[in-house]
Amino acid sequence: MIKVIAFDLDDTLWEVGPVIRRAESILAHWLEKEVPEYRYEPAKLMPIRETLLREDPTLGHRLTAFRQRLIEISLAPHLDQESAASCAEGAMEIFLTARNDVEFFEGALETLRELTGSFQLGALTNGNADINRLGLNSCFSFAFSAEQVGAPKPAPDLFQAALAHTGCEPAQMVYVGDDAIKDVDAANQVGLHTVWLRPKSKPVEGESSPDEIINDIRELPGAIKKLVGR
Ligand SMILES: [Mg+2]
């Protein structure tokens, strides 16, 4: 019996590319106003990124901490340490607000609301989307990020956190995601049921098969019904 449906967020409930590009641009403008002599140019920050990652590989999934540190270091030529730290903190607040201002796929919110009637819903994400900022806390009763659990998908940690939180068996949970490897293969490995929202542009196949494949999030209730009926 299926009790819980857990969701990937980015590219499953909205397209993430445009969101990040817009958030980067809002961030750049904000920083330019705060520190007029400074230019936020992500491409030029690559060497600092690489150094930071070498020093602390966990920053690879601690995206908020990583970006904040990156901004702080790049501000160093223009501000004293304390001002750079507080400016980077303010900048992250601006970025996170923009990063969580998403345009949901058509029918995504209606689909979630429909499913909340029969299932417990939750979010498991490698990114820094935040269900509170997204206004999704009325649909989702739990949410875990890679930053919180300490390892990104395809590691099992996020799925295990959801199982521990809900107290259900793997076979009682369905995971819905767009990435055949990080979402479908990884959740299958833990014993969850899986629904693959097949991406339009990059349908890279995984090693294992999802229980159901959908091409549009609005097909999810039908796919869940099929799964439940098996
Ligand atoms: Mg995704």
Side-chain angles (χ1 to χ4, degrees):
M1 190 62 189
I2 286 158
K3 291 184 176 167
V4 178
I5 307 174
F7 290 81
D8 171 54
L9 296 177
D10 292 325
D11 286 330
T12 294
L13 297 180
W14 58 80
E15 193 184 350
V16 72
V19 177
I20 299 294
R21 283 193 291 278
R22 183 171 162 273
E24 289 270 19
S25 148
I26 289 172
L27 174 66
H29 282 111
W30 186 86
L31 280 165
E32 206 168 298
K33 259 204 190 142
E34 290 291 307
V35 190
E37 63 278 21
Y38 171 80
R39 288 289 168 275
Y40 177 73
E41 292 165 301
K44 289 199 181 154
L45 300 180
M46 280 314 273
I48 310 179
R49 280 183 77 91
E50 282 159 21
T51 308
L52 280 174
L53 267 183
R54 249 199 320 275
E55 285 168 4
D56 182 359
T58 70
L59 287 172
H61 64 265
R62 290 166 53 220
L63 302 182
T64 301
F66 192 12
R67 187 181 286 272
Q68 186 167 330
R69 189 86 187 99
L70 198 59
I71 294 169
E72 186 182 336
I73 292 175
S74 71
L75 283 167
H78 308 284
L79 299 176
D80 63 58
Q81 201 176 356
E82 202 179 314
S83 310
S86 93
C87 183
E89 202 182 321
M92 267 328 279
E93 191 48 42
I94 296 294
F95 178 83
L96 286 174
T97 299
R99 194 257 185 266
N100 284 287
D101 183 8
V102 307
E103 192 178 327
F104 289 94
F105 287 140
E106 219 180 314
L109 291 175
E110 291 79 355
T111 301
L112 292 177
R113 281 191 209 112
E114 180 182 339
L115 292 167
T116 50
S118 314
F119 303 95
Q120 184 181 0
L121 307 189
L124 302 176
T125 181
N126 279 357
N128 44 15
D130 174 346
I131 62 160
N132 294 312
R133 291 179 194 255
L134 286 157
L136 286 177
N137 36 12
S138 60
C139 296
F140 289 156
S141 68
F142 65 90
F144 295 104
S145 68
E147 203 149 11
Q148 289 170 309
V149 303
K153 300 172 285 183
D157 306 56
L158 277 165
F159 307 110
Q160 285 161 350
L163 291 170
H165 177 81
T166 56
C168 72
E169 297 296 322
Q172 294 174 315
M173 190 179 293
V174 183
Y175 190 62
V176 184
D178 66 289
D179 192 301
I181 296 156
K182 291 182 200 164
D183 295 327
V184 175
D185 283 351
N188 278 342
Q189 193 74 35
V190 181
L192 270 53
H193 292 286
T194 49
V195 175
W196 184 30
L197 174 65
R198 185 165 40 200
K200 286 175 180 68
S201 53
K202 42 160 181 126
V204 180
E205 301 276 330
E207 282 178 6
S208 64
S209 302
D211 291 282
E212 296 289 335
I213 298 175
I214 57 177
N215 295 299
D216 185 301
I217 196 68
R218 287 171 289 194
E219 297 166 20
L220 184 61
I224 299 288
K225 215 171 265 174
K226 274 199 230 164
L227 252 173
V228 170
R230 270 188 208 157

